[in-house]
Amino acid sequence: QVHLVESGGGLVQVGESLRLTCAASGRTGSINIMGWYRQAPGKQRELVATLASGGMTNSSDSVRGRFAINRDSAKTTVYLEIHNLKPEDTAVYYCNLKRLLPLPPSEYWGQGTQVTVST
């Protein structure tokens, strides 16, 4: 089992920056992909950015250039740095972990952290 705990959300002003943190515990696996998704009111959950244990990243076109994802050396904590926040960034941000090895592949979600961008 894997437990994901997010923190760092809150109410911010347009143009400000924020850093979200996701700490993973349990059987995170030797090869995994950790990342962030978000869900705005009335919309489907969408990819923000992911970072594989081997270093490969993936991110949505809508956030590229303003969002940065990185993880600690132990590869159990992933960070999402958000710069120049916009009202459309308002959403619940969810941490996600996909464990690829050891088998079987598994997927886990955190409880989510709210980010609200105020004008």
Side-chain angles (χ1 to χ4, degrees), residues 21-60:
T21 300
C22 173
S25 59
R27 298 186 63 195
T28 58
S30 57
I31 297 179
N32 61 46
I33 302 173
M34 291 186 72
W36 294 90
Y37 291 72
R38 67 184 181 183
Q39 187 167 18
K43 295 187 177 181
Q44 290 187 330
R45 192 172 298 188
E46 63 174 359
L47 167 73
V48 175
T50 61
L51 176 57
S53 51
M56 183 174 294
T57 62
N58 184 34
S59 61
S60 167

Side-chain angles (χ1 to χ4, degrees), residues 1-2 11 15 32 34 48 64 70 76 84 96 98 100 102 110:
Q1 187 67 13
V2 171
L11 176 63
N32 61 46
M34 291 186 72
V48 175
R64 203 164 293 152
N70 50 77
T76 57
N84 188 24
N96 174 270
K98 296 179 178 63
L100 305 180

Side-chain angles (χ1 to χ4, degrees), residues 42-98:
K43 295 187 177 181
Q44 290 187 330
R45 192 172 298 188
E46 63 174 359
L47 167 73
V48 175
T50 61
L51 176 57
S53 51
M56 183 174 294
T57 62
N58 184 34
S59 61
S60 167
D61 289 342
S62 64
V63 305
R64 203 164 293 152
R66 295 192 298 120
F67 288 36
I69 187 169
N70 50 77
R71 59 199 299 180
D72 66 344
S73 57
K75 299 182 180 180
T76 57
T77 301
V78 66
Y79 306 97
L80 184 69
E81 297 181 0
I82 313 172
H83 303 286
N84 188 24
L85 277 154
K86 302 177 179 181
E88 53 264 41
D89 295 321
T90 295
V92 178
Y93 285 72
Y94 295 91
C95 182
N96 174 270
L97 186 147
K98 296 179 178 63

Side-chain angles (χ1 to χ4, degrees), residues 3-8 21-23 36 45 92-96 108-114:
H3 189 50
L4 304 174
V5 178
E6 302 113 329
S7 60
T21 300
C22 173
W36 294 90
R45 192 172 298 188
V92 178
Y93 285 72
Y94 295 91
C95 182
N96 174 270
Y108 303 90
W109 292 93
Q111 80 286 354
T113 185
Q114 176 72 47

